[in-house]
């Protein structure tokens, strides 16, 4: 019986999500014009839902202090208070307001994940393009270094590095950026490999274009589509890694509000049949699903795999 | 659907399972095992962690298999088979599957390698006294030698599984064996 009610809730959520996605798409189509409108017309409902969710997250992250009723680290009541009017989602294991921490968590977790992904792209894409363009020994050296880094599972490797360098936000960002940049390097290199052999690259070389200009003006614009899609996917993976590390207690350190550690701190409530600890985990899952939907649509558009 | 479940963090899946299954008293939410525990009891206690990992890996496998087969289905001989008037099931089983076998075998081996990392989080959720738990505890205590040893074990298993994936995919594809 209980399972049936749960299933009903899932069905209601799916219907609501589809409706929200469709509504957002039609509103966006009315508001946009020109190229953006043409682009939005091809978007499926799932991509519309994804964009809507991402926009909501960005909005919450930017205006966190205005939305949250209490401060991030303020102890406002007894521990594990149930949901009521003042504490919308109750309080956590130290008596801090759960809803406020969820809102601030959007800022911390998503912000750190975004910074890490950006850093990973700078660290991965430029050497990748360079290796493909220059070739010869530079390609060999960089590729073998990346092979070595990739032969250790990423979560284990980041745990190892965090154990060596200690757990702070800066080391967390650096460690995950370095580990994830290897994947970016592989993609950037393989995409650029196919572009380097094109005729117009040859022409550009004969024109006497320098290495930097060749990469920035000729190769990068043509490798942009897969790299942008990879940025979305990478963001998901980085986000999940950070959440997993925080969950294990070695990522973002308390008292900073973070979704991974919030799940861990309040996990005791689950055994009493309370859904509150699932909310931060659900927030993580919802964002990754949303990003995946948008990326899927972009990949479809770029590759034309489905007719 | 596969897309949705692939993007769930492992601990989310684990806690939902605890919430739904352990709440109703079907399975224990803690997987504490001792050397004295009997086999049946062990299987019963580790059911939820195993189910969590299965769900996570199934999502990965579905996605990768789909990617492998979707390209095959666009090739001319599949179209030919369809034009001959074969049933869709027969087209997939007799024409597509033998050629998709190599990527699928690779996917299975790669997923075993993926499990190596997935197990760390799941062990912590279910308080299973395993290598992953040991590693996380040592990281927070900054016990470097233990962390190094465990990381070495995990990495060795990971490399071996990846090697197995490569060898299997070469064996199942004649074009790769006879490459000069």
């Amino acid at each position: 019986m209980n399972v049936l009610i749960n299933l009903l809730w899932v069905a209601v959520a799916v219907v609501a999500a589809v409706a929200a996605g469709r509504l957002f798409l039609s509103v966006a189509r009315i508001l946009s014009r020109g190229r953006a409108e043409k682009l939005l017309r091809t978007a499926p409902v799932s991509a519309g839902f994804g964009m809507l969710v991402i926009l909501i997250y960005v909005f919450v992250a930017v205006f966190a202090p205005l939305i949250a009723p209490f401060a991030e680290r303020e102890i406002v009541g007894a521990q594990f208070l149930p949901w009521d009017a003042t504490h919308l989602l109750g309080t956590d294991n130290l008596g801090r307001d759960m809803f406020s921490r969820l809102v601030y968590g959007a800022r911390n977790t998503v912000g750190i994940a975004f910074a890490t992904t950006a850093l990973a792209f700078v660290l991965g894409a430029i050497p990748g393009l360079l290796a493909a363009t220059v070739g010869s020994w530079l390609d060999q050296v960089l590729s073998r270094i990346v092979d070595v880094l990739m032969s250790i599972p990423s979560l284990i490797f980041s745990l190892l590095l965090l154990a060596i360098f200690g757990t702070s936000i800066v080391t967390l960002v650096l460690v995950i950026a370095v580990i994830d940049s290897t994947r970016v390097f592989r993609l950037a290199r393989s995409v650029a490999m196919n572009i380097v052999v094109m005729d117009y690259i040859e022409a550009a070389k004969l024109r006497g274009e320098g290495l930097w200009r060749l990469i920035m003006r000729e190769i990068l614009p043509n490798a942009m589509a897969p790299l942008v899609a990879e940025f979305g996917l990478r963001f998901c993976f980085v986000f999940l890694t950070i959440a997993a590390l925080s969950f294990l207690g070695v990522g973002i350190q308390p008292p900073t509000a973070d979704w991974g550690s919030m799940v861990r701190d309040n996990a005791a409530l689950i055994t009493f049949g309370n859904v509150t600890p699932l909310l931060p985990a659900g927030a993580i899952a919802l964002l990754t699903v949303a990003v995946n939907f948008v990326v899927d649509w972009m990949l479809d558009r770029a590759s034309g795999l489905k007719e | 659907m596969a897309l949705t479940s692939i993007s769930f963090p492992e601990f989310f899946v684990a806690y939902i399972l605890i919430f739904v299954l352990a709440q109703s008293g079907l399975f224990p939410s803690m997987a504490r095992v001792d050397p004295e525990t009997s086999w049946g009891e062990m299987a019963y206690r580790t059911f939820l962690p195993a189910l969590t990992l299965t769900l996570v890996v199934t999502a990965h496998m579905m996605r990768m298999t789909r990617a492998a087969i979707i390209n095959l289905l666009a090739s001319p001989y599949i179209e030919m088979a369809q034009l001959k008037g074969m049933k869709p099931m027969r087209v997939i089983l007799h024409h597509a599957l033998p050629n998709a076998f190599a990527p699928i075998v690779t996917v299975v081996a790669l997923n075993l390698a993926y499990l190596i990392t997935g197990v760390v989080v799941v062990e912590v959720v279910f308080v299973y006294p395993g290598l992953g738990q040991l590693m996380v505890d040592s990281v927070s205590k900054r016990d470097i030698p233990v962390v190094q040893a465990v990381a070495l074990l995990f990495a060795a298993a990971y490399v071996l599984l990846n090697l197995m994936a490569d060898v299997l995919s070469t064996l199942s594809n004649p074009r790769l064996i006879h490459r000069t």
Side-chain angles (χ1 to χ4, degrees):
Chain A
M1 200 57 223
N2 228 331
V3 177
L4 276 182
I5 293 171
N6 285 339
L7 278 181
L8 191 74
W9 276 113
V10 171
V12 169
V14 169
V15 170
V18 169
R22 192 157 283 174
L23 191 73
F24 172 75
L25 269 185
S26 46
V27 170
R29 272 175 201 148
I30 293 167
L31 288 180
S32 64
R33 51 178 64 83
R35 245 184 94 203
E37 193 194 359
K38 206 184 246 174
L39 214 146
L40 278 173
R41 190 151 292 159
T42 63
V45 178
S46 61
F49 173 69
M51 283 189 273
L52 176 68
V53 170
I54 294 172
L55 278 182
I56 292 176
Y57 272 70
V58 170
F59 179 81
V60 168
V62 171
F63 296 105
L66 297 179
I67 298 171
F70 297 97
E72 181 185 351
R73 300 164 190 194
E74 188 188 349
I75 293 177
V76 291
Q79 301 157 4
F80 293 137
L81 282 181
W83 299 9
D84 61 20
T86 35
H87 306 292
L88 280 178
L89 300 177
T91 54
D92 70 355
N93 58 333
L94 294 178
R96 295 169 295 195
D97 186 50
M98 197 73 185
F99 179 67
S100 306
R101 281 180 74 74
L102 258 184
V103 170
Y104 276 102
R107 177 177 264 191
N108 298 327
T109 319
V110 178
I112 289 173
F114 191 79
T116 312
T117 320
L119 189 62
F121 258 75
V122 174
L123 285 178
I126 293 177
L129 295 178
L130 204 65
T133 323
V134 177
S136 70
W137 62 269
L138 183 70
D139 186 18
Q140 287 295 324
V141 170
L142 285 175
S143 297
R144 291 301 84 77
I145 293 175
V146 165
D147 279 353
V148 170
L149 286 181
M150 277 182 85
S151 66
I152 308 170
S154 59
L155 191 66
I156 307 293
F157 198 27
S158 46
L159 278 175
L160 177 68
L161 288 180
L162 283 174
I164 296 172
F165 296 119
T167 47
S168 74
I169 289 182
V170 180
T171 45
L172 181 76
V173 168
L174 283 177
V175 162
I176 297 180
V178 166
I179 291 173
D180 269 89
S181 67
T182 55
R183 274 79 176 169
V184 180
F185 174 88
R186 285 285 277 264
L187 183 91
R189 183 174 165 275
S190 66
V191 169
M193 275 297 188
N194 288 329
I195 298 174
V196 167
V197 291
M198 295 279 187
D199 287 341
Y200 57 84
I201 299 294
E202 189 115 346
K205 272 184 191 158
L206 290 175
R207 247 194 338 261
E209 286 189 11
L211 182 65
W212 182 247
R213 195 184 151 81
L214 196 68
I215 289 177
M216 282 296 154
R217 295 295 296 274
E218 310 289 345
I219 298 178
L220 192 58
N222 290 300
M224 217 52 203
L227 280 182
V228 169
E230 173 72 7
F231 189 88
L233 273 186
R234 239 342 93 203
F235 176 78
C236 288
F237 282 115
V238 167
F239 191 55
L240 288 180
T241 315
I242 291 181
L245 285 175
S246 305
F247 175 76
L248 297 176
V250 293
I252 303 168
Q253 293 298 314
T256 311
D258 161 72
W259 290 336
S261 46
M262 280 167 76
V263 178
R264 175 194 179 86
D265 290 344
N266 301 304
L269 273 183
I270 289 185
T271 34
F272 298 109
N274 192 317
V275 285
T276 318
L278 286 178
L279 290 175
I284 295 168
L286 188 63
L287 182 61
T288 41
V289 170
V291 174
N292 261 320
F293 276 155
V294 177
V295 166
D296 225 40
W297 166 53
M298 274 165 34
L299 274 180
D300 260 9
R301 236 166 37 83
S303 69
L305 202 66
K306 288 181 200 154
E307 44 268 38
Chain B
M1 185 61 206
L3 187 70
T4 320
S5 46
I6 198 176
S7 35
F8 280 12
E10 284 107 348
F11 53 86
F12 188 46
V13 178
Y15 278 128
I16 284 183
L17 284 181
I18 291 189
F19 189 69
V20 176
L21 289 178
Q23 264 307 298
S24 44
L26 281 178
F27 293 98
S29 62
M30 297 244 193
R32 257 215 119 67
V33 289
D34 309 312
E36 294 96 65
T37 326
S38 69
W39 268 105
E41 186 68 21
M42 238 189 244
Y44 173 64
R45 286 194 190 168
T46 52
F47 180 75
L48 277 188
L51 190 63
T52 310
L53 284 175
T54 313
L55 284 179
V56 172
V57 168
T58 314
H60 270 262
M61 266 187 208
M62 267 164 68
R63 196 168 162 76
M64 287 162 96
T65 312
R66 179 175 169 273
I69 253 180
I70 210 164
N71 279 327
L72 266 178
L73 288 185
S75 46
Y77 67 88
I78 298 291
E79 201 180 353
M80 179 68 209
Q82 278 166 347
L83 289 177
K84 274 197 296 190
M86 283 179 151
K87 292 196 179 67
M89 206 58 217
R90 199 179 148 78
V91 172
I92 289 188
L93 284 183
H94 282 248
H95 294 253
L97 198 60
N99 285 301
F101 202 64
I104 291 176
V105 168
T106 323
V107 166
V108 171
L110 281 181
N111 271 304
L112 282 177
Y114 172 82
L115 274 182
I116 305 267
T117 46
V119 83
V120 176
V121 174
V122 175
E123 273 182 15
V124 172
V125 173
F126 290 100
V127 209
Y128 180 85
L131 272 182
Q133 178 101 42
L134 175 67
M135 174 149 194
V136 172
D137 285 348
S138 323
V139 168
S140 38
K141 280 185 225 134
R142 302 200 64 180
D143 186 353
I144 307 282
V146 176
V147 176
Q148 275 178 330
V150 178
L152 196 64
L153 278 175
F154 275 125
Y158 188 73
V159 170
L160 280 179
L161 284 169
N162 271 319
L163 179 70
M164 200 174 86
D166 268 5
V167 170
L168 279 179
S169 75
T170 315
L171 281 182
S172 55
N173 189 345
R175 266 176 298 185
L176 284 177
I177 294 181
H178 299 295
R179 198 173 55 175
T180 46

